[in-house]
Every structure is written in C-alpha cells, then in structure tokens.
Amino acid sequence: MKVFNHYSTLFLALSILLLCTSFAPIEEKADAKIEWITLEELQTKMESEPRKVLIDSYASWCGWCKVMDKTTFSEKKVVEYVNENYYAVKLDTESEELINFKGKEMTKQELAIKFGIRDLPTFLLMDDELIIKEVVRGYKKSKPFLKILSKFNS
C-alpha cells in the first residue's frame, strides 16, 4: 500500500506540473523576419530617413547568437517592433570583409574591436547619428529584449 501511495503522489505531482506548463504563454513566431541590412545600406538609409539602430554582434561559433536568431529574433512582436522602429544590422565580429564606416575603411573585425565588443552576443543601440548610446550583452528572451528596445526608443 505504501508503494502505491508514493506512485500516486508522484503521478499527481507530475500531472499538476504538466497542466501548469501547458498554460505557459507561447511566443508567437513571425511570418516575416527582421529586415537586416548591411552597414553600407545603413549609412545610405540614414541620410534620407534617420532612425535608431540595432547592431547584433555575432560570430559563427556563438551558440547563444544562434539561439537569439531562432527565438527572440523570430518572435512576432520583436520582428514587428524592430522593423518599425530601428534599422537592424548584423555584424560578424570575426569577418575580414572590408567595409567603409563613417568614411573609414576597415574590416568588420576591426570595427567590432573599435566598438569594444568583447562578449557575444552583444547588441549596440545607436542614435540617429550612429553614436553608441547603449550596449546590451548576452542572450535575452523576447520580453526583456522588447523592454530594452522600447525604453531606448522613447
């Protein structure tokens, strides 16, 4: 009888846990995607329509960067908010590709060093004059990430 009581208690506990987690909010995936642009496109767009900038610094080996792409950057509310309020740029911190940023030619890796990026993922929030105003480090779930973006945008 004691064994039956332990199994029934375990079954009840697992059933309650399953029931509680089934009501957890599921973030809605977006049909659209964030409109990532290059640094060169960014500078051209800023001339005609200035707005705030989100730079996602990443590397091909960065696991948390990939998780951000699959989760936070794929969540409908994040996609909509970023596309409506920011220019979004991905910066490969290990790329030797030459770019021209603010009139200076350098590699993407050199630009990442100039920006002071040491941890990945790192998100740079820039004003409409391409000046870094906030640095956000590490993986962020969609709700905290949206709070950061909306606070910076206001």
Side-chain angles (χ1 to χ4, degrees):
M1 190 65 158
K2 217 177 200 184
V3 172
F4 176 74
N5 196 12
H6 288 295
Y7 283 119
S8 61
T9 303
L10 180 62
F11 177 75
L12 180 62
L14 288 174
S15 297
I16 291 170
L17 180 64
L18 182 61
L19 185 61
C20 289
T21 58
S22 66
F23 290 111
I26 297 173
E27 294 174 347
E28 189 176 346
K29 295 292 179 193
D31 292 330
K33 297 182 184 229
I34 291 178
E35 298 166 11
W36 299 105
I37 60 175
T38 65
L39 286 162
E40 290 82 4
E41 291 170 323
L42 168 67
Q43 294 172 97
T44 301
K45 286 180 177 264
M46 291 295 272
E47 291 173 10
S48 60
E49 186 186 338
R51 65 165 81 163
K52 301 228 167 89
V53 178
L54 164 66
I55 295 185
D56 171 26
S57 305
Y58 74 97
S60 60
W61 51 263
C62 173
W64 285 112
C65 301
K66 293 173 185 177
V67 174
M68 282 290 294
D69 285 337
K70 288 183 181 178
T71 59
T72 306
F73 290 148
S74 297
E75 205 275 322
K76 184 178 181 178
K77 289 180 183 177
V78 173
V79 170
E80 289 173 353
Y81 191 83
V82 170
N83 287 343
E84 288 173 17
N85 297 285
Y86 286 86
Y87 289 126
V89 177
K90 283 199 168 279
L91 177 63
D92 182 350
T93 60
E94 295 188 332
S95 174
E96 294 295 327
E97 179 185 346
L98 283 175
I99 55 164
N100 188 312
F101 186 71
K102 291 186 170 183
K104 295 181 182 175
E105 189 172 81
M106 64 188 86
T107 66
K108 290 180 179 180
Q109 184 179 42
E110 290 169 332
L111 182 60
I113 292 168
K114 180 179 176 176
F115 284 157
I117 297 168
R118 296 179 301 277
D119 306 316
L120 295 177
T122 293
F123 311 98
L124 305 176
L125 300 175
M126 299 178 145
D127 65 12
D128 56 6
E129 295 181 14
L130 298 178
I131 297 170
I132 298 171
K133 294 295 185 176
E134 193 166 335
V135 178
V136 180
R137 291 182 173 85
Y139 169 78
K140 302 287 182 246
K141 290 186 178 185
S142 61
K143 285 184 182 179
F145 194 68
L146 272 173
K147 283 182 183 177
I148 292 166
L149 293 178
S150 61
K151 180 181 173 191
F152 179 73
N153 198 35
S154 59

